Amino acid sequence: MIRKKVAQYIDNEHLFSSKAHIIVALSGGADSVALLHILHTLGYNCEAAHCNFHLRKEESDRDERFVRDLCATMKIPLHIVHFETEQYATENKISIEMAARELRYRWFAEIKKQTNADVIAVAHHQDDSVETVLLNFIRGTGINGLLGIRPKNGDIARPLLCIDRKEIIDYLQSTGQQYVTDSTNLQDEYTRNKIRLNLLPLMQEINPAAKEHIIDTSNYLNDVVRIYNK
């Protein structure tokens, strides 16, 4: 069911063709593992790309070992890069989160060019989009900041935006596919984690359908933006 849902979403949003050569951003976590597994099962031509940011010591190396084993089992080509993320953040006077983002997407673009791939697929899902809307709203934003994460941005495609985190976990459990857990996702040190772990559960106490309503509102606003631009 989920594979069919994702396939339909790819077609509806024109993310890429059935013959596309895809670079899948693979961290080893549930979301990216599900993305790779779904696309591979649907018959897409995939390669995987993994970044070791060396931010979580042994856990970072554990993730790398996991993706190596996973791709070897699935017979999927794998590209790996190592970054000194903290040093880069200090030299450029930016946050660790921003440093990791810059390094990651710059390298993805290089891999795409080297392999002559058509698109880079990342594993953002509906919950990520909801968190982005709330994060932008808290910081202060215009209408564009309330649109959530878009299905495609240049070379970056997001095939999992049609499903949420629970559906992803259910899919992995149903297929028996293992994944790793980033321990920092369980801590509320970062703003996004505070939203995920504290704010969203509180909102869902008030209204269990809060996430769905935020997604719907973002879609309505996206329609408004299209009309306004015309």
Side-chain angles (χ1 to χ4, degrees):
M1 178 63 75
I2 287 180
R3 284 195 289 263
K4 184 177 179 181
K5 193 173 180 180
V6 171
Q8 189 65 54
Y9 184 75
I10 290 170
D11 289 341
N12 290 345
E13 297 295 335
H14 309 292
L15 297 186
F16 39 78
S17 73
S18 60
K19 296 182 179 179
H21 180 188
I22 304 168
I23 299 296
V24 177
L26 181 66
S27 68
D31 306 337
S32 65
V33 170
L35 175 62
L36 181 65
H37 195 278
I38 290 170
L39 293 180
H40 180 67
T41 305
L42 287 172
Y44 286 101
N45 176 20
C46 297
E47 297 188 33
H50 175 78
C51 303
N52 188 332
F53 294 106
H54 292 284
L55 294 172
R56 293 175 287 118
K57 300 180 180 178
E58 168 56 26
E59 203 174 271
S60 294
D61 294 330
R62 175 210 64 182
D63 294 354
E64 180 179 329
R65 289 193 298 272
F66 173 82
V67 299
R68 284 185 184 278
D69 291 342
L70 176 65
C71 290
T73 300
M74 297 178 70
K75 296 181 171 54
I76 291 174
L78 172 65
H79 308 271
I80 291 179
V81 68
H82 291 251
F83 291 123
E84 296 300 328
T85 314
E86 291 182 344
Q87 179 181 334
Y88 181 86
T90 300
E91 290 173 352
N92 291 274
K93 297 181 174 60
I94 56 178
S95 68
I96 293 292
E97 290 173 289
M98 184 58 69
R101 177 183 172 81
E102 287 185 5
L103 290 167
R104 176 169 62 246
Y105 282 106
R106 186 184 304 160
W107 182 65
F108 288 161
E110 292 173 2
I111 291 297
K112 177 180 175 292
K113 186 176 181 180
Q114 290 172 14
T115 59
N116 200 30
D118 298 297
V119 68
I120 301 159
V122 296
H124 291 123
H125 50 77
Q126 284 184 350
D127 292 36
D128 292 319
S129 191
V130 169
E131 291 165 15
T132 297
V133 170
L134 292 175
L135 182 61
N136 290 340
F137 189 79
I138 290 167
R139 288 174 172 172
T141 185
I143 191 170
N144 286 334
L146 301 177
L147 301 181
I149 301 175
R150 295 294 87 197
K152 193 170 186 181
N153 183 14
D155 295 335
I156 307 297
R158 301 179 175 92
L160 300 188
L161 280 179
C162 58
I163 59 177
D164 61 22
R165 173 76 176 185
K166 183 180 183 303
E167 289 176 287
I168 288 171
I169 299 300
D170 288 346
Y171 171 78
L172 292 171
Q173 290 176 345
S174 70
T175 59
Q177 177 58 60
Q178 298 296 310
Y179 57 91
V180 293
T181 300
D182 181 342
S183 61
T184 61
N185 288 337
L186 307 177
Q187 304 165 3
D188 64 1
E189 178 180 349
Y190 299 108
T191 303
R192 186 176 284 273
N193 284 7
K194 284 184 170 72
I195 292 172
R196 178 185 306 132
L197 300 175
N198 303 314
L199 180 56
L200 263 174
L202 180 59
M203 294 175 72
Q204 288 175 296
E205 280 185 28
I206 298 170
N207 184 348
K211 288 196 301 187
E212 290 79 2
H213 290 326
I214 292 171
I215 290 290
D216 289 343
T217 300
S218 292
N219 291 334
Y220 297 151
L221 289 174
N222 193 59
D223 292 339
V224 169
V225 168
R226 285 201 191 100
I227 294 169
Y228 173 77
N229 287 336
K230 286 183 180 179

